[in-house]
Amino acid sequence: MWYKEDLAFIHDIGFSDYALKSAPGIIEILKQNNIQEGLIVDLGCGSGLSAREFVKANYQVFGVDISEAMIKLARTRVPEAKFQVGSLFQIEIPPCHAVTSIGECLNYLFDSNSDREKLIHLFHRIYNALIPGGVFIFDIAEPGQVTQETTIKNFTEGKDWIVLVEKEENRDGILTRRIITFRKVGEHYRRDDEVHRQQLYEIVEITEKLNSVGFEVQIMQNYGQYNLPLKHTAFIARKLINLNS
């Protein structure tokens, strides 16, 4: 229902910068935390762009995404990694060295499990899955993406495709994106429509939830040399090593 074939194709070919430019900074964060190898669980892995960079850096990758079309692209791109279709709020998270969720994945309201109550449960599950010293690296979109009660429309085009997006943000911090795609298939253009909704989160709320689980939290506006878009924040949540155990 989301990121179907045409939007997945367009996102992969036309909107790859976020994943590709974030990856070097994320790998550097891992190395700074003495994670030189091991399993990375990539929640909301998309078409496998980040996974490919992680595998190149000698990590193992297990990627999860709710979009079947995205997972199909990821499996083709990174055959060395393991991928599964599913909700990041429901998937079983195996023991791992790191968990990543890049590109505001935690904001999406794609299923009934993606709400504020389920977010704290996800943080608990990630904490329990991480080895001592493991890290959870992710980013969120904050309120203020669009001036409330206004509508923003824009479009992006590439070879044989165009995507039109209408965005609105309400008083409850819900961002709605109405997306229309046109993709040339054979001699004709094919149209598809999707509606994506996101719960926007304040930095302090996410920090408090992470702290309550037991994480040590660091916030950033960038992944290495890549600066995040306006009103986006990245988090490094560390599971500390218990020296008394």
Side-chain angles (χ1 to χ4, degrees):
M1 294 178 62
W2 299 282
Y3 285 101
K4 291 174 285 185
E5 181 181 349
D6 289 345
L7 183 56
F9 170 85
I10 291 169
H11 192 275
D12 178 66
I13 199 170
F15 298 88
S16 61
D17 274 7
Y18 203 118
L20 292 179
K21 292 183 178 180
S22 298
I26 294 168
I27 292 169
E28 183 60 29
I29 292 168
L30 294 173
K31 294 186 182 302
Q32 289 171 355
N33 285 273
N34 297 314
I35 301 172
Q36 309 288 340
E37 58 184 4
L39 178 63
I40 299 174
V41 176
D42 191 11
L43 301 177
C45 64
S47 59
L49 292 165
S50 297
R52 181 179 61 187
E53 301 307 305
F54 297 153
V55 167
K56 285 181 181 179
N58 297 317
Y59 296 97
Q60 298 171 291
V61 177
F62 171 46
V64 177
D65 202 281
I66 202 167
S67 164
E68 292 185 11
M70 285 290 199
I71 290 295
K72 183 177 180 180
L73 291 170
R75 285 171 174 158
T76 301
R77 172 170 282 126
V78 198
E80 307 94 328
K82 178 182 177 182
F83 296 99
Q84 184 171 334
V85 177
S87 165
L88 61 86
F89 290 94
Q90 293 180 305
I91 203 78
E92 182 177 348
I93 303 172
C96 56
H97 292 72
V99 176
T100 58
S101 189
I102 310 305
E104 60 194 43
C105 299
L106 299 187
N107 292 98
Y108 279 102
L109 299 173
F110 278 161
D111 57 72
S112 60
N113 296 287
S114 49
D115 57 29
R116 278 185 157 88
E117 292 301 316
K118 293 298 189 295
L119 195 62
I120 189 70
H121 294 299
L122 175 64
F123 290 169
H124 275 288
R125 289 169 49 232
I126 291 171
Y127 186 89
N128 291 334
L130 286 170
I131 66 166
V135 294
F136 174 30
I137 304 168
F138 67 99
D139 54 78
I140 60 162
E142 307 161 49
Q145 302 294 314
V146 180
T147 302
Q148 288 183 6
E149 314 305 328
T150 64
T151 301
I152 292 179
K153 299 180 181 182
N154 56 55
F155 74 93
T156 307
E157 61 181 326
K159 182 181 179 182
D160 297 336
W161 60 266
I162 186 169
V163 58
L164 302 94
V165 182
E166 179 182 277
K167 296 190 292 186
E168 296 178 345
E169 182 178 331
N170 68 19
R171 296 177 183 274
D172 296 322
I174 303 294
L175 178 70
T176 300
R177 294 189 179 110
R178 297 176 179 88
I179 304 168
I180 301 173
T181 60
F182 293 91
R183 180 186 175 194
K184 190 174 184 180
V185 181
E187 297 182 358
H188 305 284
Y189 278 84
R190 179 170 65 194
R191 170 177 171 159
D192 202 1
D193 299 65
E194 297 194 25
V195 177
H196 297 178
R197 292 184 174 85
Q198 291 184 316
Q199 175 65 64
L200 305 174
Y201 293 110
E202 299 281 359
I203 296 172
V204 64
E205 177 183 1
I206 298 299
T207 302
E208 289 174 352
K209 288 182 185 297
L210 291 167
N211 285 152
S212 71
V213 171
F215 283 112
E216 179 187 75
V217 181
Q218 177 184 350
I219 61 173
M220 308 175 299
Q221 301 303 317
N222 58 284
Y223 291 121
Q225 299 298 312
Y226 177 63
N227 294 320
L228 294 177
L230 186 66
K231 293 293 183 178
H232 286 70
T233 296
F235 293 77
I236 305 173
R238 298 178 176 89
K239 180 176 180 177
L240 299 181
I241 299 172
N242 187 354
L243 299 177
N244 296 321
S245 61

